[in-house]
């Protein structure tokens, strides 16, 4: 297949000319291997979605990577805990089916009757305890729902499980979680409460600082043009 230049959506190295992103992927992999939770937030066309796709391709052999996106989720997914938990459960079940994972793991989510975040937390514990691989979750376009209290409660639940995981034996949860979008979800704090009740503590303050340079440098662009010329 003849490769083309792509300026819409994510890039696929089998179909598109791409900048060599090996060094930045290695930097992200180190954070994931360390079990870090992080956010990747950059302006459009910085290659965030493509980076998440490449992480999935590179890490899937040693990890159970579950790539998801909030792109296209309607308001109905955030009308209640039951609606949100049901949506999240179906998203994970769908990814596991596509990945052709162990049927035991798939059934945990297909048979999941969780209706609250507490129920979801228990399901995550069971799932991660039974998985033979570290579970890595990536959620793209996460800031589309960032002004919704349910989403903040969801982040708070993940934070609590992360903190208990650090006390060995207290809990099992996702090895690493990456939230990606244009805006940093660590800064969500103002929209949801009356002026007098504003709170500045983030439900995602467990996230490590993401200092990986996402800029395309001249030598990387030169490599892309050389590929095209060849």
């Amino acid at each position: 297949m003849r490769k083309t230049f792509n300026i819409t959506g994510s890039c696929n190295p089998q179909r598109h000319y791409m900048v060599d992103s090996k060094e930045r992927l290695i930097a992200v992999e180190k954070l994931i291997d360390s079990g870090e939770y992080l956010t990747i937030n950059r302006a459009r066309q910085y290659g965030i979605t493509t980076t998440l796709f490449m992480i999935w391709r590179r890490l899937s052999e040693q990890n159970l990577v579950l790539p998801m996106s909030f792109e296209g989720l309607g308001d109905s997914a955030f009308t209640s805990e039951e609606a949100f938990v049901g949506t999240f459960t179906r998203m994970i079940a769908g990814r596991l089916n596509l990945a052709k994972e162990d049927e035991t793991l798939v059934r945990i989510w297909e048979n999941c009757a969780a209706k609250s975040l507490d129920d979801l937390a228990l399901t995550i514990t069971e799932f991660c305890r039974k998985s033979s691989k570290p579970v890595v979750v990536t959620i793209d376009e996460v800031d589309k729902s960032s002004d919704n209290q349910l989403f903040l409660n969801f982040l708070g639940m993940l934070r609590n499980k992360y903190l208990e995981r650090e006390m060995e034996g207290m809990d099992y949860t996702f090895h690493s979680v990456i939230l990606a979008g244009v805006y940093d979800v660590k800064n969500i704090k103002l929209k949801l409460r009356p002026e007098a009740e504003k709170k500045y503590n983030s439900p995602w303050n467990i996230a490590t600082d993401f200092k990986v340079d996402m800029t395309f440098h001249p030598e990387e662009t030169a490599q892309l043009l050389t590929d095209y010329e060849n």
Side-chain angles (χ1 to χ4, degrees), residues 212-228:
V212 178
D213 185 5
M214 298 289 286
T215 306
F216 295 153
H217 295 287
E219 61 272 18
E220 295 174 319
T221 306
Q223 165 265 314
L224 178 148
L225 295 174
T226 299
D227 286 349
Y228 172 67

Side-chain angles (χ1 to χ4, degrees), residues 124-173:
I124 292 172
T125 297
E126 180 188 7
F127 174 65
C128 293
R129 184 173 62 83
K130 291 183 177 180
S131 175
S132 61
K133 300 178 182 178
V135 181
V136 177
V137 172
T138 68
I139 306 179
D140 199 8
E141 301 290 350
V142 75
D143 47 346
K144 292 206 167 186
S145 57
S146 61
D147 62 348
N148 189 290
Q149 184 63 55
L150 260 176
F151 174 69
L152 300 188
N153 294 344
F154 169 67
L155 293 188
M157 180 268 287
L158 292 180
R159 177 183 63 182
N160 185 61
K161 293 181 71 61
Y162 170 88
L163 294 173
E164 292 194 346
R165 179 196 74 177
E166 297 305 292
M167 295 183 247
E168 192 171 350
M170 286 286 291
D171 202 354
Y172 293 87
T173 191

Side-chain angles (χ1 to χ4, degrees), residues 70-194:
F70 282 175
E71 177 81 46
L73 280 191
D75 293 339
S76 61
F78 300 95
T79 54
S80 67
E81 274 196 30
E82 184 174 353
F84 176 80
V85 169
T87 299
F88 189 78
T89 297
R90 288 190 293 274
M91 290 170 71
I92 290 188
R95 285 301 175 189
L96 288 171
N97 270 314
L98 286 174
K100 299 180 181 178
E101 282 296 328
D102 184 339
E103 281 298 318
T104 302
L105 297 180
V106 177
R107 283 196 295 271
I108 289 174
W109 293 99
E110 287 186 335
N111 299 334
C112 179
K115 295 185 178 181
S116 68
L117 290 174
D118 288 341
D119 294 340
L120 179 60
L122 292 174
T123 304
I124 292 172
T125 297
E126 180 188 7
F127 174 65
C128 293
R129 184 173 62 83
K130 291 183 177 180
S131 175
S132 61
K133 300 178 182 178
V135 181
V136 177
V137 172
T138 68
I139 306 179
D140 199 8
E141 301 290 350
V142 75
D143 47 346
K144 292 206 167 186
S145 57
S146 61
D147 62 348
N148 189 290
Q149 184 63 55
L150 260 176
F151 174 69
L152 300 188
N153 294 344
F154 169 67
L155 293 188
M157 180 268 287
L158 292 180
R159 177 183 63 182
N160 185 61
K161 293 181 71 61
Y162 170 88
L163 294 173
E164 292 194 346
R165 179 196 74 177
E166 297 305 292
M167 295 183 247
E168 192 171 350
M170 286 286 291
D171 202 354
Y172 293 87
T173 191
F174 302 130
H175 177 71
S176 180
V177 177
I178 302 176
L179 305 181
V182 174
Y183 302 103
D184 189 345
V185 296
K186 288 193 293 184
N187 297 327
I188 303 165
K189 56 209 171 193
L190 298 179
K191 288 186 180 181
L192 302 177
R193 301 178 181 88

Side-chain angles (χ1 to χ4, degrees), residues 3 6 10-18 50 53 57:
K3 289 187 178 182
N6 178 41
S10 61
C11 294
N12 184 325
Q14 307 303 319
R15 299 176 52 220
H16 305 125
Y17 294 110
M18 291 178 58
T50 299
F53 173 71
R57 285 175 62 94

Side-chain angles (χ1 to χ4, degrees), residues 187-190 193-203:
N187 297 327
I188 303 165
K189 56 209 171 193
L190 298 179
R193 301 178 181 88
E195 189 72 22
E197 298 180 24
K198 286 180 182 176
K199 296 181 181 179
Y200 290 86
N201 57 315
S202 166

